[in-house]
Amino acid sequence: MTAKQSAMIERRRKLLGSAYKLFYDNPVHIVKGEGVWLYDADGRKYLDMYNNVPHVGHCHPHVVEALTKQIATLNTHTRYLHENILEYAERLTGKFEDELDLAMFCCTGSEANELAMRIARTHTGGTGFIATSFAYHGNSRATFEITTSDIPEDERPDYIATAPVPDPYRGLYTGPDAGEKYAAHVREAIETLERRGVKPAAFIIDTIASSGGVVSPPPGYLSAVAEIIRDAGALFIADEVQPGFGRTGRNFWGYQADGFVPDIVTMGKPMGNGHPLAGMVTRSGIVEEFAAKGRYFNTFGGNPVSCAAGLAVLDVLEQEELQQNALDVGQYLVDGLWSLAEQHEVIGDVRGSGFFLGLELVEDRERKTPATALTKRVLNELRERGLLTGPIGPDANILKLRCPMVFTRENADQALDTIDRALAACLH
Ligand code: PMP
């Protein structure tokens, strides 16, 4: 580590406190981004396989132009008429099934989930929420209470219940009926709430469970849960903060893998390509009680600049056919990673779809013992070799691969070669 890095780390500790964490034993000091590349202060180039926020690539010129044009003209709140919010709401709801026809905007995924939770409570009259057992949904008080990855079970309020992450690799069930069996746990969670005298308001899940280990729920799981939760008079909230906007390649939204329509869909991260834009989409009827009881105001949410960014992201996704790119190059990566698994026993599983992939490292394939310490070494080794990714899962033994959507086959070849060499260096 250079003297400059050490000095910056010390300044951070003093100025920001120790709750702020850094990646890597040798933290990176990034000063510039372009497409799939990040550049450090010494001009060294890193292939970005971690950041899903710069969805259409770091500093995409079309998004930069849209942002700068609008900020040079006007930025203000949503209590004046403005075309941008209307055009964006139209384009965004156009990406959903017809019944999801209303959009509301905010600045972060936490705010989007918080708003969805408030609306679900008002609409159903319930107060309880069911989340999966190792989930991240935000940093506000209500969303932190369903952030089951960070809040120990005995510290959760009695209006929160959990269902297991529907993990078909290491979880409770595998095989063709895994979806149904996992869904039955949501019924149990409803019963748990009811035993405590709590009426459920909603079930919430990120439709590829990211913190749970980049887990794609088994087929039939999401739609079966939707039926169970609606039978209990509650809503299904799909948290699309990570899988949304075409990332999974097959569909524009993660939930569409299971052919059903949620009641509320929340989104954020990639929506403004780095500009803080988030929101939720629902059926207009669901917001009626909420609107009758009061107003919704968010100083920055849905402002003309944010909406210009959101519109530009949709333009690029469509014009550059990036969902298709995620499908093609994502599959190429999956095939390449499985080929690496032939040489590296430590690869236990490769999963996900499009550019939302998980590479699970295990000490032995039969027992699936998580290779947690090795994963940390591999991540540091990859960083030294110019590839950025991050750990995920309850045992932090999964490499989360979520590159910008403009990642090419050539980038994939480089990534596969780097992963191959990093694994070899750490294992031998
Ligand atoms: N939901 C999911 C699935 C997330 O991954 C995150 C962020 N990691 C959030 C919600 C919260 O988003 P934000 O950090 O923008 O508040």
Side-chain angles (χ1 to χ4, degrees):
M1 200 183 307
T2 64
K4 177 146 192 233
Q5 275 168 299
S6 306
M8 281 179 89
I9 291 169
E10 186 50 21
R11 268 175 79 207
R12 267 176 71 103
R13 196 191 56 74
K14 272 200 194 140
L15 292 165
L16 309 177
S18 49
Y20 275 81
K21 310 289 184 207
L22 284 162
F23 279 166
Y24 303 118
D25 294 344
N26 178 14
V28 266
H29 174 191
I30 299 294
V31 294
K32 187 181 135 174
E34 190 177 32
V36 296
W37 300 103
L38 286 170
Y39 297 81
D40 73 10
D42 299 321
R44 178 146 190 234
K45 204 170 156 179
Y46 299 83
L47 188 58
D48 187 358
M49 292 196 86
Y50 181 76
N51 289 290
N52 56 343
V53 173
H55 196 52
V56 296
H58 290 276
C59 305
H60 192 289
H62 183 65
V63 182
V64 172
E65 196 195 341
L67 273 165
T68 46
K69 247 190 184 166
Q70 185 57 50
I71 205 157
T73 310
L74 171 75
N75 201 13
T76 185
H77 58 83
T78 50
R79 288 191 285 207
Y80 305 116
L81 288 170
H82 199 278
E83 283 290 345
N84 283 14
I85 192 169
L86 299 176
E87 196 186 333
Y88 188 50
E90 240 158 39
R91 290 268 301 273
L92 187 65
T93 51
K95 296 285 182 196
F96 287 90
E97 294 76 8
D98 288 350
E99 57 260 56
L100 297 175
D101 58 353
L102 180 144
M104 293 171 82
F105 298 108
C106 42
C107 309
T108 67
S110 304
E111 278 190 322
N113 283 334
E114 177 95 25
L115 180 61
M117 291 170 83
R118 283 178 62 200
I119 290 174
R121 280 184 164 148
T122 324
H123 181 70
T124 62
T127 52
F129 289 95
I130 298 160
T132 46
S133 54
F134 203 82
Y136 187 95
H137 291 294
N139 60 27
S140 65
R141 178 171 165 173
T143 58
F144 189 69
E145 286 175 350
I146 52 167
T147 290
T148 49
S149 59
D150 290 34
I151 181 164
E153 201 168 343
D154 57 358
E155 289 176 27
R156 289 176 208 151
D158 67 354
Y159 48 83
I160 304 298
T162 57
V165 178
D167 180 348
Y169 170 68
R170 117 183 347 272
L172 300 168
Y173 313 113
T174 53
D177 54 357
E180 242 170 77
K181 286 184 171 162
Y182 272 118
H185 287 270
V186 174
R187 197 173 289 116
E188 282 169 21
I190 293 170
E191 285 159 11
T192 302
L193 287 178
E194 286 170 349
R195 267 198 308 278
R196 296 174 188 160
V198 176
K199 179 175 167 5
F203 169 82
I204 181 164
I205 186 169
D206 41 343
T207 54
I208 286 195
S210 179
S211 297
V214 193
V215 169
S216 303
Y221 172 77
L222 297 173
S223 48
V225 171
E227 221 177 291
I228 292 168
I229 198 77
R230 284 169 182 156
D231 278 352
L235 303 181
F236 190 113
I237 303 173
D239 179 337
E240 292 282 344
V241 167
Q242 295 211 29
F245 291 90
R247 173 155 297 279
T248 64
R250 281 192 226 125
N251 302 290
F252 203 76
W253 305 107
Y255 71 80
Q256 288 168 334
D258 220 24
F260 80 111
V261 184
D263 300 296
I264 303 180
V265 182
T266 60
M267 61 207 80
K269 282 182 188 281
M271 208 168 165
N273 214 49
H275 181 88
L277 171 61
M280 50 149 276
V281 164
T282 185
R283 298 193 301 274
S284 40
I286 287 181
V287 183
E288 263 165 29
E289 290 89 339
F290 182 79
K293 282 198 170 142
R295 59 179 178 171
Y296 173 65
F297 180 60
N298 186 319
T299 300
F300 299 114
N303 70 62
V305 173
S306 300
C307 290
L311 283 163
V313 169
L314 294 182
D315 289 343
V316 179
L317 282 171
E318 288 161 15
Q319 284 159 16
E320 299 185 15
E321 297 178 12
L322 295 182
Q323 185 182 325
Q324 186 62 41
N325 186 59
L327 186 67
D328 297 344
V329 181
Q331 190 56 50
Y332 183 72
L333 269 169
V334 167
D335 294 343
L337 290 168
W338 276 123
S339 300
L340 292 186
E342 285 165 23
Q343 303 137 48
H344 301 287
E345 274 283 312
V346 73
I347 297 181
D349 194 26
V350 179
R351 57 176 173 266
S353 100
F355 288 144
F356 201 168
L357 305 177
L359 179 67
E360 175 144 7
L361 303 185
V362 292
E363 279 170 13
D364 87 88
R365 282 186 179 170
E366 204 127 305
R367 292 205 194 91
K368 302 179 181 173
T369 319
T372 305
L374 173 76
T375 306
K376 188 163 184 251
R377 290 206 304 280
V378 170
L379 287 167
N380 279 300
E381 187 67 32
L382 287 170
R383 175 253 183 265
E384 296 304 332
R385 291 169 183 268
L387 191 152
L388 302 182
T389 172
I392 199 73
D395 299 297
N397 68 316
I398 300 155
L399 268 57
K400 180 164 63 170
L401 305 170
R402 291 175 316 188
C403 47
M405 299 279 283
V406 287
F407 206 80
T408 61
R409 266 177 192 243
E410 198 190 346
N411 299 144
D413 284 331
Q414 181 178 341
L416 291 165
D417 184 54
T418 310
I419 293 169
D420 187 16
R421 286 167 196 264
L423 285 174
C426 291
L427 287 163
H428 306 297

